[in-house]
Structure formats: C-alpha cells, structure tokens
Amino acid sequence: MGTLMIIGGAEDRTDNMEVLKRFIALSGGRDQPLVVITAASTVPEKVWPMYEGAFGALEAQQVRHLQIAEREAAEDPALADAILSAKGIFVTGGDQKRLMAIVGGTRAGHALREAWQERGACLAGTSAGASFVCTHMMAEGRAELAPEKGAAKLAPGMGFVPRVVIDQHFSQRHRINRLLSVVAQSPFLLGAGIDENTALIVHGDAGLEVAGEGCVTVVDCRDAHTNIIDIAPGSVPEMVDVRLHLLPAGSAFRADAASGANAGQLPADAKAAPQPLNDFIRYLTKDH
Amino acid sequence: MGTLMIIGGAEDRTDNMEVLKRFIALSGGRDQPLVVITAASTVPEKVWPMYEGAFGALEAQQVRHLQIAEREAAEDPALADAILSAKGIFVTGGDQKRLMAIVGGTRAGHALREAWQERGACLAGTSAGASFVCTHMMAEGRAELAPEKGAAKLAPGMGFVPRVVIDQHFSQRHRINRLLSVVAQSPFLLGAGIDENTALIVHGDAGLEVAGEGCVTVVDCRDAHTNIIDIAPGSVPEMVDVRLHLLPAGSAFRADAASGANAGQLPADAKAAPQPLNDFIRYLTKDH
C-alpha cells in the first residue's frame, strides 16, 4: 500500500514547498512519473500552471496534468493507464462534490484505488482532494460559532479512509464546530481537521506523521455524552467528554499494530503511538 | 454565599436583555440595591449610560454607578459601604489588568468578597469583569491558529474562582487556542471560555447553569499528554487526550456534593452533573 497525504489546502507552492517536496520524496523521487488531477476545479487552466511551476522548480522530471472535465472522460482507458503507471498522484482543490461527481465509481476512480493500494503509489489530496479520500466525506457546512445539529452535510467519498471524516483549511476557517457537529451525531467516525500548508501523512497501518506548517486536530466523541439526537435541527448540542488531540507539524507516531509493510517510510524518530493515536491510525486505515 | 455570574462580554443591553434580567432576579429583584462598577474601563462616562439605560428599561429601582478611577479611591470607606449594602454587583468590561491594579487588595476588593461570600450578593462580571474573578487571571494573549507555548499571560485575579481560568468573547474572538496554551502548561487549572451574551452562573457548590445566547466551553488537560514543558516558547505543543465539554445556554447541572445553601437558586430542571462537570463545579468553588 502506498502512502496517503491528506493536505489541508493552500500548501506552499513558491517558497520552501515542504509539503510538495515530501510528496515527491514519497513518490520515489523526482525522476518518477507524477500526475496532477484537477477535476475538483472549474478553472483547471489556472490551477495546473501553479503546480507545473512548483513541480518544475522542484525539478520533477515527469509530471502530467490530468484534467478530467466530466464523468465521461473519467471512463477513458488511457486516463486510467496514466493513473496506474504514476508513482505519485496529486489531487488538487476545488469542490469535493464536483470531484466525486466526476470521478466517483468510474474507471479513473478505480485506478486511483489500485495505484495507491495495489501498486504503492503515493496518493496526495489537498483541500477538496483531502476531503474526497474519506468514505464519509464532509460535503459542505457552515462555520458557526458553536456546533449546530445538521450544520454540516456528509456525502459518499472515495472510501480510502474508512472511519475518519476529514476537514481542511481547518484553523484558518475556524471549522472545529462543523467537525464537532458531525462526530457528535456520528461517533462511529473520528474527525480530523487539517490546517493549511499541512499534511497528515498516513503510512498505511504503520503510523502517521504531520508535515508542513500547521496542525492536525483530532476530535473523538466515542465516549462523549450529548443530547444531539434529542434536539431540533439548528440547535446547539450539549457535549461532555469530547476528546481532542492536537498534532503539530513534526509529530510522528508508530502504531503498535504496524504490519510493517509501510514502516520503512516513517521518520526514524517516530514515537510509539499512545492509545488514542493507535485508535486514530486504525480508524484511518481499517473498516471496523 | 451569593451567586457568581461570569459573563463573556457584549451581553444584550437593548433587546431581550436576558442576562441582565437574570442578574436582577438573582440579586433579589428590581427593588433591591444594585451597583455597577466601571473601574475596568478608561471611559466609564460612556459605559455607565449604557447600563443606566438598560437597568432603567428593566425597571430596576436602586442602581448606583461606582466609578473608582484610581487605587486611592478604592480605599474609600463610603465606597466599601456601598458595595457591602448592595444585593447585586455588576462589574463591567474594559481591561482586567486595569481593574486588578485599581481594586486588587483594596478595601473595595475586600468588600466585593464579603458582599458576595458573606452577605449573599449576586456578583456579576462581564468581559474584563469575568476574567478578574479568577485566582489565576487570563491577563492577555494572542488568538493564534494553534496553541503556542507562552501565548497567554496569567496575572493574579480576585481569587473568587480558585482553579478555573476564564476567557471571554470566546467563540467570537477564536480564543480556544490561547486557553489551551494556558491549561496545557498548567493542568492544575481547568479552562472555561464564555461566549458573548452568555453567562456561566455558579450557584456556589450546588451547581451551575448557562444563560443567554452562546456556550461555555470547558477544556481539561489533567490527563492530557503534551510536550509543552520541553518545547521552545512560541512553539506549538503536541497534545493528546484533552477533554472538552460544551455547555450551550439552557444547560443546568446539580452537583453531587451540593451542600444545599445555594441549591434553591438552581433551575428546577437541572440535571445531575456527570463526573466531569462535578469536577468543574469543584474547581470553580474549592481551593484544592
């Protein structure tokens, strides 16, 4: 299984480009074939040149733009071949609902899963591309001053992250309340908020690390007491005993249950994951 | 012991005035002597007319403005008498450092404690007046996108709330990170963030309620794992297992250990406090 990079949007593309450098390294290096998928965006002709410039500056030698403007195009066997032969796949921002409407369940969608899961490609998604990796995808929601019942809507995502709902631009757009509103209602999920220019890197079940500039915030309502099922839509739930974890850039944790296949990618200084982060890794990677 | 109303600032003064109405009720009604202390503000001549208008509209019959422009004035025996004979004391916003510099340790300061603790007055503080009730007072701090070591500074407060640090204008000014930075460093304290137009009402050790419009957010790092003692000032700590409670307006909890003296003030529908909120009530009211 390849590495998953879940990026909170607005990763630096002109300065130190730490997140993009890491993507290239996790894809095997700058001589490896990389693809950039801009299907989430309605203005791919503006998005692609930014990445073309950034990857050019980082001396990546084989970078292809895969535009995928509509669902029909996502069934093109040549497109699937390009995805399957890539060692790094970068899915840009835009709208995750648009991305899923075009790619979800298509040949390109299956190729993404196969490239990452079977062929070991590094799959990176930023902003909309971060959201869409989840089974239960944050589709939209208001950033209110408190969690509100029904403030956010879920939709089906790609299913690469089974039991964690991802939110992006997290601190910058003050999204903790919309994330809490989702996990309070569905404690089956953990919530992970990714800051801008920050990547949650999932090394399969071996462990995780945080790279870039900001933090990953994890919210866990499994043991929380809340009245959310009894209140009216739009009301603010009472919540007692939410657990919260804050992982700044530089954090790295090795899972107890690491099967080892991806362990070699973990930073050498990764610490043994405490129980709550072992759980988080399990929820990122296992179905039940 | 009287009731303590800890208000997150910007309580409504022109519309339904729910928080101010509650203050009048907890002070014994509109025929009781009330005082408004504006010492936190450099413009008391602008602050007082707002409250004069609001309490006038609510038909409070005996409201006095106590200005206290400097520390010397806070030693005036006539001022202390006015405080001691009040049934409701309302401390307005401004700067809590200014408020403490003028009132802390003076005859007026002692009168505030005596009026509330011995004579049963309702003591309400909003904004700066909310912060200053704590033993360990949030003096100042930046609202960053992540908790940062040293982002907030504590200073001595009045000592009415021994083991909870209060922050105000909480959701509106996105202050959760500065509050987390304090309690991560000092898990001896619990943190409570009060939203605008919202009151945390502490009925001694009998229980608490939340009135007004927003929420009270409680953060608890007693069992959290963090590296904050090992990182450089300004760095972002790793934090695992922070506990978070969210109490929207309308919440009311009766403590297990309620001694009963204040229990009569609790709303009839107050629920039995779960353990984390029993702890919170204990930290609000007991020294150790």
Side-chain angles (χ1 to χ4, degrees), chain A residues 145-147 171-172 174 176-177 180 195 215 225 227 236-248 250-253 271 274 276-277, chain B residues 145-147 171-172 174 176-177 180 195 215 225 227 236-248 250-253 271 274 276-277:
Chain A
L145 292 178
S171 295
Q172 288 78 11
H174 305 296
I176 190 167
N177 290 320
L180 280 173
D195 288 351
C215 292
H225 303 277
N227 60 355
V236 178
E238 203 168 271
M239 300 171 76
V240 173
D241 262 342
V242 178
R243 290 164 87 183
L244 182 145
H245 318 304
L246 188 88
L247 310 179
S251 300
F253 292 97
K271 293 180 282 194
L277 298 185
Chain B
L145 292 178
S171 296
Q172 288 78 11
H174 305 296
I176 190 167
N177 289 321
L180 280 172
D195 288 352
C215 291
H225 303 277
N227 60 355
V236 178
E238 203 167 272
M239 300 171 75
V240 173
D241 261 342
V242 179
R243 290 163 87 182
L244 183 145
H245 318 303
L246 188 88
L247 310 179
S251 300
F253 293 97
K271 294 181 281 193
L277 298 185

Side-chain angles (χ1 to χ4, degrees), chain B residues 171-192:
Chain B
S171 296
Q172 288 78 11
R173 298 191 188 170
H174 305 296
R175 286 177 163 173
I176 190 167
N177 289 321
R178 80 176 201 182
L179 189 58
L180 280 172
S181 73
V182 169
V183 292
Q185 181 83 60
S186 304
F188 173 83
L189 301 172
L190 300 179

Side-chain angles (χ1 to χ4, degrees), chain B residues 202-208 253-264 266 281 285:
Chain B
V202 185
H203 297 287
D205 61 4
L208 61 80
F253 293 97
R254 185 179 306 274
D256 288 350
S259 64
N262 291 72
L266 267 176
I281 295 164
T285 55

Side-chain angles (χ1 to χ4, degrees), chain A residues 11 13-14 17 20 24 34-38 44-65 90 92:
Chain A
E11 68 287 345
R13 292 158 210 152
T14 55
M17 297 189 275
L20 295 182
I24 292 174
L34 310 178
V35 296
V36 176
I37 295 177
T38 56
E45 72 283 2
K46 294 187 178 165
V47 173
W48 162 241
M50 288 192 297
Y51 287 99
E52 188 178 27
F55 286 124
L58 294 173
E59 300 180 354
Q61 289 152 28
Q62 303 185 56
V63 190
R64 269 188 70 183
H65 177 206
F90 195 99
T92 73

Side-chain angles (χ1 to χ4, degrees), chain A residues 95-97 137-142 150-155 178 182:
Chain A
D95 177 351
Q96 55 265 40
K97 297 186 297 298
M137 176 178 86
M138 179 73 82
E140 56 189 76
R142 304 180 304 278
K153 284 184 184 149
L154 296 178
R178 82 177 199 181
V182 169

Side-chain angles (χ1 to χ4, degrees), chain B residues 15 29 52 61 74 78 97 177-178 196 206 209 219 248 263 265-266 272:
Chain B
D15 191 12
E52 188 178 27
Q61 290 152 29
K97 298 187 296 297
N177 289 321
R178 80 176 201 182
E196 293 182 353
E209 59 174 302
V219 291
Q265 301 275 17
L266 267 176

